[in-house]
Amino acid sequence: YSLLSTTGYLNPETGYQLCESSARKALDINPTNVSAIVSLSFVQYFYRWDFQQAINLAKRSLMINPLSPDGNLAISLYYMINNDHPEAIKFMEKAREIDPLSLLINRTVADSYYFKREYTKAIQVYDQMLEIDPGFLSAVEFKGWAYLMDGDYDQAINLFESLNTNQQVHAVKPFVQLGYAYARKGDFETAEFYLQQLINEAEANPTATFEFDFAILYTGLQRFDQAIEYLRKCMNKRIGAMVFLHVSPIWDAIQNHPEFIKIKKEIGLM
């Protein structure tokens, strides 16, 4: 439920409430269920935006089981969201030491290097994930984002094109990555083409949540007022990925926009 809600394929209100309900039922049966406690922590991070309560739950999970990889991951998220990447990486690496083959944990380690702007290190970890599972498309996608932010637009575009021709179900909706990449490359005509593809995709899938995708692409196109408009819609829908506005390089060009700053303050990121 949490993953589907964060990626936009399930209404966040529905998804996170289902996640919370399931976790509380599990805790009624076993109050020391670490997985359920961590699930509640994720609800606090990505839906309620109560970061102090989230880390309190994460710490509670580690008091029960200090070797819980999910508990260490949950604590690392607090530091990642608050732009303290050395501390985040410390807990993530501990989680990875406990469960070295976990794609989720490896992905979070790589993301922290990506948010820290250490793109070469991030790419190395994404490559390690692809050695574990060559079909893990999320690693392919964010490897592309790392190349893009490092200025290698052609390599990024090649990776994004491989995503959009892959027949597997992909957690991230298509066209956004390519549109943003072409905009950053200066090819606004092609970027506008992918914007239209995204509009068509949204119209064809009315139950999916596309507001965050539009905010990303409008930011790439330097149409910041429209990006802000969609970020406001994301706030109203409690889109989980909003918690990374302060750290993701996707938003670097809009960080000083007064309305963007206001949104971050309202979420509790400043």
Side-chain angles (χ1 to χ4, degrees):
Y1 295 132
S2 179
L3 176 62
L4 289 171
S5 299
T6 303
T7 54
Y9 278 94
L10 185 62
N11 179 281
E13 183 176 7
T14 301
Y16 284 114
Q17 286 182 1
L18 286 169
C19 180
E20 185 173 28
S21 175
S22 298
R24 294 198 183 281
K25 287 177 181 177
L27 288 171
D28 286 341
I29 298 170
N30 177 9
T32 62
N33 186 319
V34 169
S35 294
I37 295 169
V38 170
S39 292
L40 289 180
S41 177
F42 288 164
V43 171
Q44 297 298 325
Y45 279 128
F46 296 113
Y47 182 65
R48 303 202 181 280
W49 299 338
D50 186 340
F51 306 125
Q52 190 58 55
Q53 179 65 6
I55 195 172
N56 288 344
L57 285 162
K59 288 178 178 178
R60 176 181 160 193
S61 75
L62 287 188
M63 288 178 66
I64 297 168
N65 180 8
L67 295 179
S68 165
D70 292 338
N72 280 282
L73 175 63
I75 286 185
S76 75
L77 286 172
Y78 177 85
Y79 295 107
M80 180 190 285
I81 290 167
N82 284 282
N83 212 17
D84 186 348
H85 299 297
E87 196 69 11
I89 289 169
K90 182 178 80 174
F91 282 97
M92 288 176 200
E93 291 290 7
K94 184 174 181 180
R96 185 160 67 155
E97 181 181 335
I98 298 166
D99 189 358
L101 298 181
S102 167
L103 291 174
L104 175 60
I105 291 170
N106 277 278
R107 161 71 195 275
T108 310
V109 171
D111 288 353
S112 195
Y113 285 121
Y114 167 75
F115 290 150
K116 197 180 176 186
R117 279 60 172 174
E118 293 187 10
Y119 301 120
T120 300
K121 286 186 178 180
I123 290 166
Q124 288 173 351
V125 182
Y126 292 131
D127 281 337
Q128 290 168 9
M129 294 164 62
L130 291 169
E131 289 177 7
I132 297 170
D133 181 0
F136 191 49
L137 299 183
S138 179
V140 177
E141 184 210 352
F142 272 84
K143 182 181 174 182
W145 281 111
Y147 274 116
L148 192 160
M149 296 305 168
D150 205 28
D152 192 339
Y153 303 129
D154 290 337
Q155 180 75 323
I157 287 167
N158 287 338
L159 286 165
F160 292 155
E161 286 178 342
S162 76
L163 285 175
N164 289 313
T165 57
N166 196 298
Q167 297 303 306
Q168 297 183 49
V169 175
H170 184 222
V172 178
K173 295 173 282 292
F175 311 124
V176 178
Q177 312 96 319
L178 285 165
Y180 191 102
Y182 276 106
R184 284 289 296 268
K185 190 178 179 180
D187 185 348
F188 289 98
E189 182 178 352
T190 303
E192 291 282 354
F193 166 79
Y194 283 110
L195 173 62
Q196 186 58 53
Q197 296 304 303
L198 179 61
I199 292 169
N200 296 342
E201 182 82 359
E203 290 175 350
N205 296 277
T207 59
T209 303
F210 285 87
E211 285 82 359
F212 199 70
D213 302 80
F214 279 109
I216 290 173
L217 193 38
Y218 279 126
T219 297
L221 287 164
Q222 300 178 28
R223 290 157 63 174
F224 298 139
D225 289 342
Q226 286 170 287
I228 292 294
E229 177 186 343
Y230 275 96
L231 287 172
R232 279 284 170 199
K233 293 178 180 180
C234 291
M235 281 198 68
N236 293 336
K237 289 193 173 183
R238 312 293 287 194
I239 302 298
M242 293 286 283
V243 302
F244 298 117
L245 290 185
H246 195 50
V247 295
S248 173
I250 286 172
W251 311 106
D252 282 356
I254 200 174
Q255 284 289 342
N256 294 325
H257 192 294
E259 288 301 311
F260 191 81
I261 293 171
K262 186 189 247 185
I263 287 171
K264 289 193 295 182
K265 287 180 178 178
E266 290 175 17
I267 294 172
L269 299 175
M270 296 181 70

